Amino acid sequence: MTQYPPLGDGRHRHIVIKAWMLYLGFCLVLALIIAWDLTTSRAQDTEAARQRTHSTSVLVSEWLYAAFETSGALLSSMAGEIRPENLPPPEGDPEAHARINQWLERHLRLLPHAQAIALFDREGVMTHASGSDLKIDHDISDQSHFLALRADPDLERLVSRAFWSRESERFLVVHAQSLRDAEGRFAGLLEVGLDLGFFDHWLERAEPTPGSSLTIVDHGERLLARRPRDALASLEAQIGQPVEVGRLMPLILGEKDTLHFVIVSPVDGMRRAYTAQMVRDLPFLVVAGEAQDVVMAAWWRKVWTLSLAWWVIVGLGLLVLRGYLHTLRSDLALQRSHRSLEAANRFLSREIQERQEAEADLRRSEEKYRFLVDNSYDIIYLFSPDGHIRFVSPSWKTLLGHDPDSVLGHHFSEFVHPEDLHLCLRAFADVMHHGHHIQDIEYRVLHSDGSWRWHSSSALPSRDEGGKIAGFQGIARDITARKQAEEEIRTLAFYDPLTQLPNRRLLTERLEASVDLCRREHHHGALLFIDLDNFKILNDTLGHDQGDRLLMQAAKRIIGCVHENDTVARLGGDEFVVMLHRLSHEAQEATQQAGFVADKILAALNHPYRLGDQEHHGTASVGITLFDRESLSVDELMKRADLAMYQAKAAGRNTHRLFDPAMQASVMARAALEGDLRRALVEKQFLLHYQAVVNDDSQLMGAEALLRWQHPERGLVPPGEFVALAEDTGLILPLGQWVLETACTQLAQWAGDASLRHLKMAVNVSARQFRHPDFVPGVLKILNTTGADPHRLKLEITESLLLEDVEDVIDKMRQLRARGITFSLDDFGTGYSSLSYLKRLPLDDVKIDQSFVRDVLNDPNDAAIARTIVALAGTLGLRVIAEGVETREHWEWLSRNGCHTHQGYYFGRPGPVGMIQEAIRNWTPPTRRAGNPGTG
């Protein structure tokens, strides 16, 4: 060994002191490092245990929450099927009771861990239950969950705490669903009973570590379940009993959701680190714990290992120090150089390690990027500063059909739709010149098959090492399916699916815009409401498929009659609307322009339609209304055009009509009359007047019941003013029912009076009333209810009844005639008057209309018609009744010509039943003049 010159005493002492200080400092630092490491390890182990217990408690709580959500959904579904007020009592209908119990049993099988499902009434008494071991009259009215649901109308479901069930002799938890009657009042409970074994199922799914525990308690701190079970012999006795934890109150009171604490377990006496977790919306806590001695076992091993290592290092250090001090004189210089070399080696090693780690990170990053690029469904691209393609990901071929290598070097504009190119160029400029990031630019891109695909792209600039913009990079996604769906939705929302014309919604938007434009620019527009005449007959005879063909042809014809800027829409059925833009500023000229278009449309729609192998001829009716600066709503314009169209219908169809305010006034009057008519039915403002019917001998044969309306403001309204409206609106059905009931009631009353029981009652029946499917049963029911004699009832029908389904009319007449009811054909000669039908109808009388009777004395034509009707009726064996006999001359002439039954003002005006009864009792027959003149 090389010998070094001796050092001075002072220098030696200084080195020795320094060596000892270094040695002691090293020992202290090493001790501090070990202490810090042990402290950190203890904290990490404790935190790891806390995280494990927290994860376990959260997992089990979520299992429980999901389980009760499932049972809650089932209870809610079952509650929706139950009508509490309709549930039969067990003693009332045992079969129905058994079916409900079976229904509960079927639903119980959907909850594998439930003990039973039961129904309770509003008093808390069990009425139905799954299984046969439950007592039906079991009472839960004193239990907290029942009281809570009954007291709170907003509370639908509730999960109870654990309680001791006397019925089942075990601890139970129930999931209860409140039942409400039709008025929303509490009507009982639907309850699922769960024993505490239900909670064991969820604990068994967890995998406890040695020394750990998993416990479920409720808000009353009752022990519901625990794992492990076999580690504690007395656990069964503690299930359902309160556990004095004390630390759980903040959770029970809702102050916190999660608690961490370390205590000695009150169950098995083992000290553990616990995490307690509230179960969402449920009165349960999940407590997961790990034994402290298990958690800290590794830490204690580390303590002993590091302590031993410290002592070894300290001892070795002492030996080294002593050797060092012994060889200090010779090795001091060498030791310094050695330490310098060590430092350099450590620095170099660290440098090499950091470089290797950086290279590994770069390699992993590149692999990850390559994987994402190669497997992404979206296109990742990179353009040069002038827009030429430098790179595209493999998905380019999947989405656009081109090989990625084949497009490199091409300019991106070669693939963009010309209409969208300006948008893409502007986005490219924003990125390259200003460094902006663009989001969701939508444009069309050319596919290799020649089709255009929709893409949505986001991009940002790529920069070089100096931060200078060096390119354009981004990602593009195919949104063609979304665009097609949006277009389909728009078509469904705004266009008629059959004709592809705008529907009501789009028409309304365009009409609002057109009205605003007319108001600003002071010109006229027009709305044409088109309805195809007799379209329903076509649908009923040829079928809806042919009707659809006609509608599509009609739509094309209407489109051909207007300008491109005008709108043709279909409202539905056979109704079309045309909106004309920018008509003349002058109202008269604008009217002529609209009329010209309407004539053009009518002419186009008059051409024959080719429907398969058939040719169909059709017409249309058009209503027109103009709009300009007048402030009118879209609905008002539509109403006006609709009114004008109905006027065209009334004018004979195949024409057009311009809206006139008088139309609206007429419609409003009709609507007001309809409202009064409906109110009159409710308020019973109708009454019957009666007019006498006499024979040639001036004997009273009966009376005709005539409807009158006692209006509170207008007084007595004759039927001519409201019967037609009642027919149109369908009110004739309840009104005719009332007339028939009232007349039959009066007929039954007359049967009890000897002076009146011989009279017959004639009642008018409308065509719509007669055609109703329930007419015959309705008449028979009225006769049975009132007790009227059907042989004294005569129903008067009109010739309009014979226009449709004559066979059905004859069948109904025969059914009623078999019961004794007679029939009279009213207003004969004014309607259809088919002799072939007349001879088939089971009639008893025909009535000559008063329009012929009125002028028989001075009009030869009316006289000839009256004689013909009398002769025809005589040939068919029918009696003739003349209406409108107002003078003795009329009576005498009709009698001479074979009409022997009469009705008119000459024999008495119509009046209330009291007046007609008084007139009958005091009847004074009118007399004829002596010596009647001859037939005239």
Side-chain angles (χ1 to χ4, degrees), residues 272-323:
R272 292 186 179 88
Y274 290 97
T275 296
Q277 176 70 34
M278 280 286 296
V279 181
R280 279 188 293 159
D281 302 328
L282 297 175
F284 308 120
L285 309 175
V286 178
V287 184
E290 289 192 6
Q292 280 290 90
D293 54 355
V294 176
V295 172
M296 303 307 298
W299 182 81
W300 278 112
R301 287 193 298 271
K302 189 172 185 179
V303 168
W304 289 111
T305 301
L306 292 179
S307 297
L308 181 60
W310 186 83
W311 283 110
V312 170
I313 292 172
V314 167
L316 291 175
L318 184 59
L319 293 176
V320 171
L321 178 61
R322 293 187 62 174

Short mmCIF file of all heavy atoms in Angstrom, two decimals, residues 272-323:
data_model
loop_
_atom_site.label_atom_id
_atom_site.label_comp_id
_atom_site.label_asym_id
_atom_site.label_seq_id
_atom_site.Cartn_x
_atom_site.Cartn_y
_atom_site.Cartn_z
N ARG A 272 -60.86 -3.66 14.38
CA ARG A 272 -60.84 -3.56 12.93
C ARG A 272 -60.93 -2.10 12.49
O ARG A 272 -61.43 -1.26 13.23
CB ARG A 272 -62.00 -4.33 12.28
CG ARG A 272 -61.93 -5.84 12.41
CD ARG A 272 -63.07 -6.47 11.60
NE ARG A 272 -63.03 -7.92 11.67
CZ ARG A 272 -63.63 -8.64 12.61
NH1 ARG A 272 -64.32 -8.01 13.57
NH2 ARG A 272 -63.56 -9.96 12.62
N ALA A 273 -60.51 -1.88 11.24
CA ALA A 273 -60.72 -0.60 10.57
C ALA A 273 -61.98 -0.75 9.72
O ALA A 273 -62.04 -1.63 8.85
CB ALA A 273 -59.52 -0.24 9.69
N TYR A 274 -62.99 0.09 9.99
CA TYR A 274 -64.30 -0.07 9.35
C TYR A 274 -64.60 1.11 8.42
O TYR A 274 -64.16 2.23 8.65
CB TYR A 274 -65.43 -0.14 10.40
CG TYR A 274 -65.43 -1.39 11.23
CD1 TYR A 274 -64.85 -1.42 12.48
CD2 TYR A 274 -66.04 -2.55 10.72
CE1 TYR A 274 -64.87 -2.59 13.24
CE2 TYR A 274 -66.05 -3.72 11.48
CZ TYR A 274 -65.46 -3.73 12.74
OH TYR A 274 -65.49 -4.85 13.49
N THR A 275 -65.41 0.78 7.39
CA THR A 275 -66.06 1.80 6.56
C THR A 275 -67.55 1.49 6.55
O THR A 275 -67.96 0.38 6.21
CB THR A 275 -65.53 1.78 5.11
OG1 THR A 275 -64.15 2.13 5.13
CG2 THR A 275 -66.29 2.79 4.24
N ALA A 276 -68.35 2.50 6.95
CA ALA A 276 -69.81 2.35 6.96
C ALA A 276 -70.39 3.18 5.82
O ALA A 276 -70.04 4.35 5.67
CB ALA A 276 -70.39 2.80 8.30
N GLN A 277 -71.24 2.55 5.02
CA GLN A 277 -71.79 3.21 3.82
C GLN A 277 -73.32 3.17 3.86
O GLN A 277 -73.92 2.11 4.09
CB GLN A 277 -71.31 2.49 2.55
CG GLN A 277 -71.90 3.01 1.25
CD GLN A 277 -71.37 4.39 0.93
OE1 GLN A 277 -70.23 4.69 1.23
NE2 GLN A 277 -72.20 5.24 0.37
N MET A 278 -73.95 4.35 3.70
CA MET A 278 -75.41 4.39 3.59
C MET A 278 -75.86 3.73 2.27
O MET A 278 -75.22 3.92 1.24
CB MET A 278 -75.90 5.85 3.57
CG MET A 278 -75.97 6.51 4.93
SD MET A 278 -77.38 5.89 5.87
CE MET A 278 -78.70 6.45 4.85
N VAL A 279 -76.94 2.96 2.32
CA VAL A 279 -77.56 2.43 1.11
C VAL A 279 -78.55 3.48 0.62
O VAL A 279 -79.42 3.90 1.38
CB VAL A 279 -78.28 1.10 1.37
CG1 VAL A 279 -78.88 0.58 0.06
CG2 VAL A 279 -77.30 0.09 1.93
N ARG A 280 -78.40 3.92 -0.62
CA ARG A 280 -79.21 5.02 -1.14
C ARG A 280 -80.71 4.76 -0.95
O ARG A 280 -81.23 3.72 -1.34
CB ARG A 280 -78.97 5.21 -2.64
CG ARG A 280 -77.72 5.98 -2.97
CD ARG A 280 -77.68 6.27 -4.45
NE ARG A 280 -77.51 5.06 -5.24
CZ ARG A 280 -77.83 4.94 -6.51
NH1 ARG A 280 -78.35 5.95 -7.15
NH2 ARG A 280 -77.64 3.80 -7.15
N ASP A 281 -81.38 5.75 -0.34
CA ASP A 281 -82.84 5.76 -0.21
C ASP A 281 -83.38 4.59 0.60
O ASP A 281 -84.59 4.31 0.55
CB ASP A 281 -83.52 5.77 -1.58
CG ASP A 281 -83.09 6.94 -2.41
OD1 ASP A 281 -82.80 8.01 -1.85
OD2 ASP A 281 -83.05 6.78 -3.65
N LEU A 282 -82.50 3.85 1.32
CA LEU A 282 -82.95 2.70 2.08
C LEU A 282 -82.46 2.83 3.52
O LEU A 282 -81.41 3.43 3.79
CB LEU A 282 -82.41 1.40 1.48
CG LEU A 282 -82.88 1.08 0.05
CD1 LEU A 282 -82.18 -0.15 -0.47
CD2 LEU A 282 -84.38 0.88 0.02
N PRO A 283 -83.16 2.26 4.50
CA PRO A 283 -82.79 2.42 5.91
C PRO A 283 -81.73 1.41 6.34
O PRO A 283 -81.85 0.79 7.39
CB PRO A 283 -84.13 2.19 6.62
CG PRO A 283 -84.84 1.23 5.77
CD PRO A 283 -84.47 1.57 4.36
N PHE A 284 -80.70 1.20 5.51
CA PHE A 284 -79.69 0.21 5.83
C PHE A 284 -78.29 0.80 5.69
O PHE A 284 -78.05 1.74 4.92
CB PHE A 284 -79.79 -1.01 4.89
CG PHE A 284 -81.18 -1.60 4.83
CD1 PHE A 284 -81.86 -1.66 3.63
CD2 PHE A 284 -81.80 -2.06 5.97
CE1 PHE A 284 -83.13 -2.18 3.56
CE2 PHE A 284 -83.06 -2.58 5.91
CZ PHE A 284 -83.74 -2.64 4.69
N LEU A 285 -77.37 0.23 6.48
CA LEU A 285 -75.96 0.60 6.41
C LEU A 285 -75.16 -0.67 6.13
O LEU A 285 -75.45 -1.74 6.68
CB LEU A 285 -75.49 1.21 7.74
CG LEU A 285 -76.31 2.36 8.32
CD1 LEU A 285 -75.75 2.75 9.67
CD2 LEU A 285 -76.29 3.54 7.39
N VAL A 286 -74.16 -0.54 5.27
CA VAL A 286 -73.24 -1.65 5.01
C VAL A 286 -71.91 -1.29 5.67
O VAL A 286 -71.34 -0.22 5.40
CB VAL A 286 -73.04 -1.86 3.49
CG1 VAL A 286 -72.04 -2.98 3.26
CG2 VAL A 286 -74.37 -2.20 2.84
N VAL A 287 -71.45 -2.15 6.59
CA VAL A 287 -70.23 -1.88 7.35
C VAL A 287 -69.21 -2.97 6.97
O VAL A 287 -69.44 -4.15 7.22
CB VAL A 287 -70.48 -1.89 8.86
CG1 VAL A 287 -69.20 -1.53 9.61
CG2 VAL A 287 -71.60 -0.92 9.22
N ALA A 288 -68.10 -2.54 6.33
CA ALA A 288 -67.03 -3.46 5.94
C ALA A 288 -65.80 -3.16 6.79
O ALA A 288 -65.44 -2.00 6.99
CB ALA A 288 -66.71 -3.30 4.46
N GLY A 289 -65.18 -4.20 7.31
CA GLY A 289 -64.02 -4.00 8.18
C GLY A 289 -62.91 -4.99 7.90
O GLY A 289 -63.15 -6.11 7.44
N GLU A 290 -61.68 -4.57 8.16
CA GLU A 290 -60.51 -5.44 8.07
C GLU A 290 -59.76 -5.40 9.39
O GLU A 290 -59.59 -4.33 9.99
CB GLU A 290 -59.59 -4.98 6.93
CG GLU A 290 -60.18 -5.24 5.55
CD GLU A 290 -59.17 -5.06 4.44
OE1 GLU A 290 -57.98 -4.84 4.77
OE2 GLU A 290 -59.55 -5.14 3.27
N ALA A 291 -59.33 -6.57 9.83
CA ALA A 291 -58.65 -6.69 11.14
C ALA A 291 -57.36 -5.88 11.13
O ALA A 291 -56.58 -5.95 10.18
CB ALA A 291 -58.38 -8.14 11.46
N GLN A 292 -57.17 -5.13 12.23
CA GLN A 292 -55.99 -4.30 12.33
C GLN A 292 -54.71 -5.14 12.30
O GLN A 292 -53.71 -4.75 11.70
CB GLN A 292 -56.04 -3.47 13.63
CG GLN A 292 -56.93 -2.24 13.53
CD GLN A 292 -56.33 -1.17 12.63
OE1 GLN A 292 -56.59 -1.18 11.43
NE2 GLN A 292 -55.52 -0.29 13.19
N ASP A 293 -54.74 -6.31 12.98
CA ASP A 293 -53.52 -7.11 13.02
C ASP A 293 -53.18 -7.67 11.65
O ASP A 293 -52.02 -7.84 11.30
CB ASP A 293 -53.66 -8.24 14.04
CG ASP A 293 -54.90 -9.09 13.79
OD1 ASP A 293 -55.69 -8.73 12.88
OD2 ASP A 293 -55.07 -10.09 14.47
N VAL A 294 -54.22 -7.92 10.80
CA VAL A 294 -53.95 -8.39 9.44
C VAL A 294 -53.44 -7.24 8.58
O VAL A 294 -52.50 -7.38 7.80
CB VAL A 294 -55.22 -9.01 8.83
CG1 VAL A 294 -54.97 -9.41 7.37
CG2 VAL A 294 -55.65 -10.23 9.64
N VAL A 295 -54.11 -6.08 8.75
CA VAL A 295 -53.73 -4.92 7.96
C VAL A 295 -52.28 -4.53 8.26
O VAL A 295 -51.50 -4.21 7.36
CB VAL A 295 -54.69 -3.75 8.23
CG1 VAL A 295 -54.18 -2.47 7.55
CG2 VAL A 295 -56.08 -4.10 7.73
N MET A 296 -51.91 -4.57 9.55
CA MET A 296 -50.59 -4.10 9.96
C MET A 296 -49.54 -5.19 9.99
O MET A 296 -48.39 -4.94 10.37
CB MET A 296 -50.68 -3.44 11.34
CG MET A 296 -51.69 -2.29 11.42
SD MET A 296 -51.43 -1.03 10.14
CE MET A 296 -49.79 -0.48 10.60
N ALA A 297 -49.89 -6.43 9.61
CA ALA A 297 -48.91 -7.53 9.70
C ALA A 297 -47.68 -7.26 8.82
O ALA A 297 -46.53 -7.39 9.26
CB ALA A 297 -49.57 -8.84 9.30
N ALA A 298 -47.93 -6.87 7.60
CA ALA A 298 -46.80 -6.59 6.70
C ALA A 298 -45.97 -5.43 7.23
O ALA A 298 -44.73 -5.41 7.13
CB ALA A 298 -47.31 -6.29 5.30
N TRP A 299 -46.70 -4.45 7.82
CA TRP A 299 -45.97 -3.28 8.35
C TRP A 299 -45.06 -3.69 9.50
O TRP A 299 -43.91 -3.23 9.60
CB TRP A 299 -46.97 -2.22 8.78
CG TRP A 299 -46.31 -0.96 9.28
CD1 TRP A 299 -45.82 0.04 8.54
CD2 TRP A 299 -46.06 -0.62 10.65
NE1 TRP A 299 -45.28 1.03 9.32
CE2 TRP A 299 -45.41 0.64 10.65
CE3 TRP A 299 -46.31 -1.24 11.87
CZ2 TRP A 299 -45.03 1.29 11.82
CZ3 TRP A 299 -45.93 -0.59 13.04
CH2 TRP A 299 -45.29 0.66 13.01
N TRP A 300 -45.58 -4.56 10.38
CA TRP A 300 -44.74 -4.98 11.51
C TRP A 300 -43.53 -5.79 11.01
O TRP A 300 -42.43 -5.67 11.53
CB TRP A 300 -45.56 -5.83 12.49
CG TRP A 300 -46.37 -4.96 13.42
CD1 TRP A 300 -47.70 -4.82 13.46
CD2 TRP A 300 -45.85 -4.11 14.44
NE1 TRP A 300 -48.10 -3.95 14.43
CE2 TRP A 300 -46.94 -3.47 15.07
CE3 TRP A 300 -44.56 -3.80 14.91
CZ2 TRP A 300 -46.82 -2.58 16.12
CZ3 TRP A 300 -44.44 -2.90 15.97
CH2 TRP A 300 -45.54 -2.30 16.55
N ARG A 301 -43.72 -6.59 9.96
CA ARG A 301 -42.59 -7.33 9.41
C ARG A 301 -41.54 -6.36 8.86
O ARG A 301 -40.33 -6.54 9.02
CB ARG A 301 -43.06 -8.28 8.30
CG ARG A 301 -43.80 -9.51 8.83
CD ARG A 301 -43.96 -10.56 7.74
NE ARG A 301 -44.75 -10.07 6.61
CZ ARG A 301 -46.07 -10.17 6.55
NH1 ARG A 301 -46.75 -10.73 7.55
NH2 ARG A 301 -46.71 -9.73 5.49
N LYS A 302 -42.07 -5.32 8.24
CA LYS A 302 -41.16 -4.32 7.70
C LYS A 302 -40.41 -3.60 8.83
O LYS A 302 -39.23 -3.26 8.71
CB LYS A 302 -41.94 -3.33 6.83
CG LYS A 302 -41.05 -2.38 6.05
CD LYS A 302 -41.89 -1.57 5.07
CE LYS A 302 -41.01 -0.71 4.20
NZ LYS A 302 -41.79 0.06 3.21
N VAL A 303 -41.16 -3.34 9.95
CA VAL A 303 -40.51 -2.68 11.10
C VAL A 303 -39.32 -3.50 11.58
O VAL A 303 -38.21 -2.98 11.79
CB VAL A 303 -41.54 -2.45 12.23
CG1 VAL A 303 -40.83 -2.04 13.52
CG2 VAL A 303 -42.54 -1.38 11.82
N TRP A 304 -39.57 -4.80 11.80
CA TRP A 304 -38.49 -5.65 12.30
C TRP A 304 -37.35 -5.77 11.29
O TRP A 304 -36.17 -5.72 11.64
CB TRP A 304 -39.02 -7.05 12.65
CG TRP A 304 -39.89 -7.02 13.89
CD1 TRP A 304 -41.21 -7.22 13.95
CD2 TRP A 304 -39.44 -6.78 15.21
NE1 TRP A 304 -41.68 -7.12 15.23
CE2 TRP A 304 -40.58 -6.84 16.05
CE3 TRP A 304 -38.20 -6.51 15.80
CZ2 TRP A 304 -40.52 -6.65 17.43
CZ3 TRP A 304 -38.15 -6.31 17.18
CH2 TRP A 304 -39.29 -6.38 17.98
N THR A 305 -37.73 -5.89 10.02
CA THR A 305 -36.68 -6.02 9.00
C THR A 305 -35.82 -4.77 8.92
O THR A 305 -34.57 -4.83 8.92
CB THR A 305 -37.33 -6.30 7.64
OG1 THR A 305 -38.10 -7.49 7.72
CG2 THR A 305 -36.28 -6.46 6.54
N LEU A 306 -36.48 -3.60 8.86
CA LEU A 306 -35.72 -2.36 8.75
C LEU A 306 -34.93 -2.06 10.02
O LEU A 306 -33.81 -1.51 9.97
CB LEU A 306 -36.66 -1.20 8.41
CG LEU A 306 -37.29 -1.24 7.01
CD1 LEU A 306 -38.22 -0.05 6.82
CD2 LEU A 306 -36.22 -1.25 5.94
N SER A 307 -35.51 -2.42 11.18
CA SER A 307 -34.78 -2.20 12.45
C SER A 307 -33.51 -3.05 12.48
O SER A 307 -32.41 -2.57 12.84
CB SER A 307 -35.67 -2.54 13.64
OG SER A 307 -36.77 -1.70 13.68
N LEU A 308 -33.67 -4.31 12.10
CA LEU A 308 -32.51 -5.19 12.06
C LEU A 308 -31.48 -4.67 11.05
O LEU A 308 -30.26 -4.65 11.32
CB LEU A 308 -32.95 -6.62 11.70
CG LEU A 308 -31.83 -7.67 11.64
CD1 LEU A 308 -31.11 -7.78 12.98
CD2 LEU A 308 -32.40 -9.01 11.22
N ALA A 309 -31.99 -4.24 9.88
CA ALA A 309 -31.08 -3.72 8.87
C ALA A 309 -30.34 -2.49 9.40
O ALA A 309 -29.14 -2.29 9.13
CB ALA A 309 -31.87 -3.38 7.60
N TRP A 310 -31.11 -1.65 10.15
CA TRP A 310 -30.46 -0.44 10.69
C TRP A 310 -29.32 -0.81 11.64
O TRP A 310 -28.24 -0.25 11.57
CB TRP A 310 -31.52 0.41 11.40
CG TRP A 310 -30.98 1.73 11.87
CD1 TRP A 310 -30.85 2.86 11.14
CD2 TRP A 310 -30.49 2.02 13.17
NE1 TRP A 310 -30.32 3.86 11.88
CE2 TRP A 310 -30.06 3.37 13.17
CE3 TRP A 310 -30.33 1.29 14.35
CZ2 TRP A 310 -29.53 4.00 14.29
CZ3 TRP A 310 -29.80 1.92 15.47
CH2 TRP A 310 -29.41 3.25 15.43
N TRP A 311 -29.63 -1.79 12.52
CA TRP A 311 -28.56 -2.19 13.45
C TRP A 311 -27.36 -2.81 12.73
O TRP A 311 -26.21 -2.57 13.06
CB TRP A 311 -29.11 -3.20 14.47
CG TRP A 311 -29.93 -2.54 15.56
CD1 TRP A 311 -31.25 -2.62 15.75
CD2 TRP A 311 -29.41 -1.69 16.58
NE1 TRP A 311 -31.65 -1.87 16.83
CE2 TRP A 311 -30.52 -1.28 17.37
CE3 TRP A 311 -28.15 -1.21 16.92
CZ2 TRP A 311 -30.40 -0.44 18.47
CZ3 TRP A 311 -28.04 -0.38 18.04
CH2 TRP A 311 -29.14 0.01 18.78
N VAL A 312 -27.66 -3.59 11.70
CA VAL A 312 -26.56 -4.17 10.93
C VAL A 312 -25.74 -3.08 10.27
O VAL A 312 -24.49 -3.10 10.30
CB VAL A 312 -27.12 -5.17 9.89
CG1 VAL A 312 -26.02 -5.59 8.92
CG2 VAL A 312 -27.72 -6.37 10.59
N ILE A 313 -26.46 -2.13 9.66
CA ILE A 313 -25.75 -1.04 8.97
C ILE A 313 -24.95 -0.21 9.97
O ILE A 313 -23.81 0.19 9.70
CB ILE A 313 -26.76 -0.18 8.19
CG1 ILE A 313 -27.35 -1.00 7.03
CG2 ILE A 313 -26.11 1.08 7.66
CD1 ILE A 313 -28.49 -0.31 6.31
N VAL A 314 -25.58 0.05 11.12
CA VAL A 314 -24.86 0.83 12.14
C VAL A 314 -23.58 0.09 12.58
O VAL A 314 -22.50 0.68 12.71
CB VAL A 314 -25.77 1.12 13.35
CG1 VAL A 314 -24.95 1.64 14.54
CG2 VAL A 314 -26.82 2.14 12.97
N GLY A 315 -23.69 -1.22 12.82
CA GLY A 315 -22.53 -2.01 13.23
C GLY A 315 -21.46 -2.03 12.17
O GLY A 315 -20.26 -1.83 12.44
N LEU A 316 -21.91 -2.28 10.92
CA LEU A 316 -20.95 -2.30 9.82
C LEU A 316 -20.30 -0.93 9.65
O LEU A 316 -19.10 -0.80 9.37
CB LEU A 316 -21.63 -2.73 8.53
CG LEU A 316 -22.09 -4.21 8.47
CD1 LEU A 316 -22.87 -4.45 7.18
CD2 LEU A 316 -20.88 -5.13 8.57
N GLY A 317 -21.13 0.09 9.82
CA GLY A 317 -20.59 1.45 9.70
C GLY A 317 -19.52 1.73 10.76
O GLY A 317 -18.53 2.40 10.48
N LEU A 318 -19.81 1.22 11.94
CA LEU A 318 -18.83 1.42 13.01
C LEU A 318 -17.51 0.72 12.67
O LEU A 318 -16.43 1.28 12.87
CB LEU A 318 -19.40 0.91 14.33
CG LEU A 318 -18.53 1.14 15.56
CD1 LEU A 318 -18.25 2.64 15.76
CD2 LEU A 318 -19.21 0.56 16.81
N LEU A 319 -17.65 -0.51 12.16
CA LEU A 319 -16.44 -1.22 11.75
C LEU A 319 -15.72 -0.48 10.63
O LEU A 319 -14.47 -0.36 10.63
CB LEU A 319 -16.79 -2.64 11.31
CG LEU A 319 -17.31 -3.59 12.39
CD1 LEU A 319 -17.72 -4.92 11.77
CD2 LEU A 319 -16.25 -3.80 13.46
N VAL A 320 -16.48 -0.02 9.68
CA VAL A 320 -15.87 0.73 8.57
C VAL A 320 -15.20 1.99 9.09
O VAL A 320 -14.10 2.36 8.67
CB VAL A 320 -16.94 1.05 7.50
CG1 VAL A 320 -16.38 2.01 6.46
CG2 VAL A 320 -17.43 -0.23 6.82
N LEU A 321 -15.89 2.65 10.01
CA LEU A 321 -15.32 3.88 10.56
C LEU A 321 -13.99 3.62 11.25
O LEU A 321 -13.00 4.36 11.07
CB LEU A 321 -16.32 4.51 11.54
CG LEU A 321 -15.83 5.79 12.23
CD1 LEU A 321 -15.54 6.89 11.21
CD2 LEU A 321 -16.85 6.27 13.26
N ARG A 322 -13.99 2.54 12.04
CA ARG A 322 -12.74 2.22 12.74
C ARG A 322 -11.63 1.88 11.73
O ARG A 322 -10.48 2.30 11.88
CB ARG A 322 -12.96 1.08 13.70
CG ARG A 322 -13.88 1.47 14.86
CD ARG A 322 -13.96 0.39 15.88
NE ARG A 322 -12.64 0.12 16.46
CZ ARG A 322 -12.42 -0.69 17.47
NH1 ARG A 322 -13.44 -1.34 18.02
NH2 ARG A 322 -11.19 -0.89 17.92
N GLY A 323 -11.98 1.11 10.70
CA GLY A 323 -10.98 0.79 9.69
C GLY A 323 -10.53 2.04 8.95
O GLY A 323 -9.35 2.21 8.63
#
